[in-house]
Amino acid sequence: MKAMRITQPANVNPWARAAFETAHHAYVRGDLAEARAALLRALDSQPDFVDAHYWLARLTDDPQAKRRHLTNALVHLPNHLDALRDLMVLDGRLTPEQAAQTHHHAEAETRQAAEPVRMTTTVLICPVCGGDLTVDPNDGHVECRFCGYRAEKAPQPATDGSDLLAAALLERKATNVRWKIGRRLLHCNRCGAERTIPATALSTRCPFCNSNHVVQQDALGSFQQPDGLLPFRVSQEQAEARIRKRLRRLDERLAGLIDTNAMRRLELEGVYLPFWLFDALADVTQTITPKAGRYGKGPASLRLPQTSTFRDGCFNLPVPAMSKPHATLLRGLNDFDMGQMVAYQPKLLARHPAALYDIDFDQASLEARSEATRRMREKHGQTNRDDVEVRVSTLVVQMSFRLVLMPVWLGVITEADGDLRQALVSGQTGKVVLGKAQKPKRR
Ligand SMILES: [Zn+2]
Ligand SMILES: [Zn+2]
């Protein structure tokens, strides 16, 4: 029998506490009706009493009341793991047995797949003539160049498919295995050919019949599908022009020192790259302290620090979900407009291929958490008064995330002296990020 405890005693008023204790005694005696009545009295006295909500949910059989009280507990204390676990069971996302397995603190076990993993794919072919599909770069419609077929609907705006980080972490604990995939096995159901593809490809063409395949899931269920996609708005020619312009600026700056980074060749490929997009809610505590000496002769009460606590959020923090290209380059592409996000569908990859993530959401969440903390400090730590000092402490209380595909032109520049340089161009805004020039690797 789980003990009824008050998790945050400082926040509970004496009447609510007395009622909760009455409920606890009734619960120990086995008088659940009396326990429920006392918990309701506790809530009358203090509607945001998290433990009272949580225990009412546990002691009632009515699924609607259960859900209401669990949701209430989570609204007031978003990182209440017990309430979240029970809500996931109620939603059918975890079985009670799985939920019971999520109390441990052990890391998920990582297993390496010994052989290429079988997978299912969607083949992107024209429903009329069976030809290869593409995407109209101007309006985003999926179409066929051979017979003129054109999908009726333009891609739909993305709905919020984000998942609570805490829920996803519990789910992972319940399975407790993390698969590392080397390659996946593509069985082409158009021509019957089989070959392996790297684990970081979300879409690929069969080299024998040229049909375009989008990976749906593999036999191990080792990855999740994207939730949204930002369409390409910048053409290859525009991306190339942007890179040339950037290089000219670089050239001018270096004029007289070196004149060898003129471009000899540029290879460009448009690819959708995966990013995790995080929302974070934080409790921010701001302390404003008058600077020492300022009120040296005044009453001491004037020098007391003033503290206020409030909740604030950061939304749409992108964290690269791929280890290549390097994160410092990818972070440079940070001016995406998320308002243009459309719901992901495999056929949107008819024109440009997409990569699959190799950095998992839990790893990425660490970066998102520190970025959210940094932004909160920056936002609330400013003052235009010079007689006070502002200090901010931030506690991230809830995070949610989704997987999105961002349009990127990946370029490799061969410079006149033979050096190679990576270039990334945002396929949405045209922003250019250049890597450092590097000597080509000797073969
Ligand atoms: Zn067609
Ligand atoms: Zn094939």
Side-chain angles (χ1 to χ4, degrees):
M1 193 175 186
K2 195 171 164 163
M4 280 175 72
R5 269 189 318 117
I6 299 184
T7 46
Q8 298 184 306
N11 301 338
V12 182
N13 77 44
W15 292 275
R17 181 190 304 239
F20 190 82
E21 274 161 18
T22 307
H24 175 65
H25 292 305
Y27 172 63
V28 172
R29 280 198 316 273
D31 185 351
L32 297 189
E34 168 57 20
R36 283 194 291 266
L39 287 171
L40 284 172
R41 284 200 302 278
L43 283 178
D44 276 343
S45 165
Q46 186 170 340
D48 67 351
F49 187 1
V50 169
D51 302 287
H53 281 296
Y54 172 62
W55 278 98
L56 258 174
R58 283 197 77 110
L59 300 185
T60 183
D61 293 324
D62 171 13
Q64 274 187 342
K66 239 187 215 303
R67 178 180 306 277
R68 196 172 64 243
H69 287 298
L70 289 174
T71 311
N72 262 319
L74 285 167
V75 166
H76 298 301
L77 190 64
N79 48 7
H80 195 308
L81 280 188
D82 288 326
L84 184 62
R85 200 179 273 126
D86 287 2
L87 191 60
M88 288 172 74
V89 171
L90 200 60
D91 286 342
R93 198 166 156 187
L94 290 177
T95 64
E97 294 74 40
Q98 285 172 329
Q101 286 165 24
T102 60
H103 290 273
H104 62 84
H105 294 284
E107 283 279 309
E109 177 199 346
T110 304
R111 283 189 219 159
Q112 179 81 45
E115 346 187 294
V117 182
R118 284 201 167 269
M119 60 180 186
T120 50
T121 63
T122 308
V123 192
L124 306 182
I125 50 169
C126 171
V128 179
C129 74
D132 202 31
L133 288 175
T134 188
V135 174
D136 183 337
N138 297 315
D139 62 9
H141 277 264
V142 176
E143 61 181 18
C144 171
R145 285 212 193 102
F146 301 97
C147 71
Y149 161 82
R150 197 170 147 81
E152 250 166 54
K153 270 198 196 159
Q156 298 300 297
T159 50
D160 184 16
S162 64
D163 192 9
L164 280 181
L165 178 65
L169 288 172
L170 281 178
E171 204 166 53
R172 165 147 307 159
K173 277 190 171 181
T175 54
N176 209 21
V177 176
R178 178 194 298 265
W179 283 103
K180 267 183 103 166
I181 310 289
R183 296 179 77 81
R184 294 198 174 83
L185 188 66
L186 172 70
H187 172 87
C188 178
N189 45 12
R190 294 210 86 200
C191 73
E194 269 192 356
R195 70 178 184 120
T196 65
I197 63 167
T200 49
L202 179 62
S203 68
T204 187
R205 279 187 186 274
C206 170
F208 304 102
C209 70
N210 199 39
S211 58
N212 197 356
H213 295 252
V214 178
V215 183
Q216 284 208 298
Q217 192 47 282
D218 63 24
L220 296 172
S222 67
F223 67 94
Q224 72 179 74
Q225 292 271 310
D227 299 296
L229 170 149
L230 283 182
F232 270 87
R233 293 274 177 257
V234 172
S235 70
Q236 180 158 358
E237 295 70 40
Q238 289 166 330
E240 212 176 302
R242 295 274 188 145
I243 291 177
R244 286 183 191 282
K245 200 170 150 195
R246 233 341 251 291
L247 281 176
R248 272 202 300 279
R249 246 170 54 203
L250 196 69
D251 236 1
E252 279 159 25
R253 220 172 53 208
L254 300 178
L257 294 173
I258 0 169
D259 56 351
T260 47
N261 65 354
M263 184 152 61
R264 200 171 65 194
R265 199 171 74 233
L266 172 63
E267 287 162 59
L268 259 188
E269 193 195 5
V271 181
Y272 286 106
L273 296 184
F275 282 72
W276 298 106
L277 212 54
F278 284 89
D279 293 340
L281 272 187
D283 283 345
V284 180
T285 303
Q286 192 186 44
T287 308
I288 300 178
T289 318
K291 279 186 185 157
R294 197 79 193 182
Y295 301 99
K297 285 181 186 148
S301 61
L302 280 178
R303 296 197 297 274
L304 286 181
Q306 286 180 357
T307 299
S308 52
T309 298
F310 46 91
R311 191 163 281 182
D312 196 2
C314 302
F315 304 97
N316 291 329
L317 294 172
V319 178
M322 280 197 89
S323 46
K324 273 177 202 157
H326 197 275
T328 46
L329 290 178
L330 288 173
R331 280 195 209 104
L333 297 175
N334 53 3
D335 62 347
F336 292 111
D337 172 9
M338 308 300 177
Q340 315 231 327
M341 189 83 64
V342 297
Y344 170 75
Q345 303 172 64
K347 63 184 180 188
L348 295 179
L349 305 182
R351 189 182 184 90
H352 297 287
L356 194 56
Y357 61 92
D358 62 358
I359 294 175
D360 227 330
F361 68 86
D362 50 350
Q363 196 187 334
S365 72
L366 302 178
E367 187 181 326
R369 188 180 292 266
S370 61
E371 175 64 11
T373 306
R374 195 191 62 74
R375 287 193 190 188
M376 286 292 124
R377 199 174 294 142
E378 195 176 282
K379 182 171 167 193
H380 298 292
Q382 311 282 345
T383 176
N384 44 21
R385 291 169 57 184
D386 60 0
D387 58 340
V388 294
E389 211 174 66
V390 181
R391 268 179 302 137
V392 171
S393 70
T394 304
L395 178 68
V396 174
V397 291
Q398 185 181 71
M399 294 218 279
S400 55
F401 67 99
R402 50 194 168 137
L403 180 62
V404 297
L405 296 174
M406 307 291 205
V408 179
W409 288 101
L410 288 180
V412 179
I413 300 164
T414 309
E415 298 183 347
D417 59 1
D419 284 1
L420 297 177
R421 191 192 288 270
Q422 272 193 303
L424 269 56
V425 182
S426 161
Q428 186 190 38
T429 65
K431 183 174 181 187
V432 179
V433 180
L434 291 182
K436 292 197 175 76
Q438 285 178 330
K439 298 278 166 226
K441 289 198 185 88
R442 294 239 168 87
R443 304 235 163 146

